[in-house]
């Protein structure tokens, strides 16, 4: 796995262990690279998706149902437990119809430690920090 500046292998490995996430790296103008995660909550078989991408299927079609997000450190305001989470980023130009995707997607609505409601658009709690 190629790491971008500021990333650690341990954190990256913990984030990609999910059967609902895929890490992608996008080129930006000027040659820089940007890393983010795609998350599916609709039951998409991501191993099949990986095979389809390798065999040249259109990535736009393969990414149906996905939302893009970035990893953030997140603390529950009720219990104080610290997490690493993937939070949706609606400003990523990679995916069309983001508003419709946000309406259909399933999010982690509460803290896994105490059950208190927390911030919107948490796609995945990757690990307890």
């Amino acid at each position: 796995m190629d790491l971008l500046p500021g990333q650690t292998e341990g954190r990256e490995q913990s984030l990609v262990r999910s059967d609902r996430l895929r890490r992608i790296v996008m080129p930006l103008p000027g040659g820089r690279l940007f890393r983010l995660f795609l998350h599916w909550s609709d039951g998409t078989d991501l191993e099949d998706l990986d095979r389809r991408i390798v065999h040249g299927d259109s990535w736009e079609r393969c990414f149906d149902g996905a939302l893009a997000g970035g990893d953030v450190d997140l603390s529950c305001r009720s219990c104080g437990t610290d997490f690493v989470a993937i939070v949706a980023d609606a400003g990523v130009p990679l995916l069309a119809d983001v508003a419709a995707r946000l309406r259909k997607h399933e999010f982690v609505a509460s803290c896994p430690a105490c059950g208190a409601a927390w911030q919107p658009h948490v796609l995945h709690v990757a690990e307890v920090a």
Side-chain angles (χ1 to χ4, degrees):
M1 173 180 318
D2 294 331
L3 296 176
L4 300 180
Q7 298 169 349
T8 65
E9 188 169 346
R11 185 173 175 115
E12 289 297 293
Q13 289 298 327
S14 69
L15 292 170
V16 297
R17 286 190 192 125
S18 171
D19 59 355
R20 292 180 162 206
L21 286 174
R22 285 297 182 263
R23 173 186 181 264
I24 65 171
V25 177
M26 293 176 32
L28 296 175
R32 294 187 56 219
L33 297 175
F34 179 69
R35 170 200 93 342
L36 51 96
F37 296 87
L38 296 179
H39 182 271
W40 287 261
S41 66
D42 64 359
T44 296
D45 179 343
L46 298 188
E47 289 184 21
D48 179 58
L49 180 140
D50 293 341
R51 285 188 290 276
R52 289 175 28 217
I53 292 285
V54 167
H55 288 103
D57 254 10
S58 161
W59 64 265
E60 291 95 341
R61 188 175 39 208
C62 288
F63 293 172
D64 281 347
L67 274 176
D71 59 309
V72 299
D73 295 320
L74 183 65
S75 293
C76 176
R77 291 182 183 153
S78 293
C79 70
T81 303
D82 294 323
F83 298 95
V84 176
I86 306 297
V87 176
D89 183 349
V92 175
L94 173 69
L95 305 172
D97 66 339
V98 172
R101 290 172 187 251
L102 286 167
R103 283 190 300 273
K104 292 190 307 188
H105 215 81
E106 292 177 28
F107 295 95
V108 181
S110 58
C111 172
C114 74
W118 61 9
Q119 77 179 50
H121 300 140
V122 175
L123 296 170
H124 184 76
V125 176
E127 69 180 12
V128 176

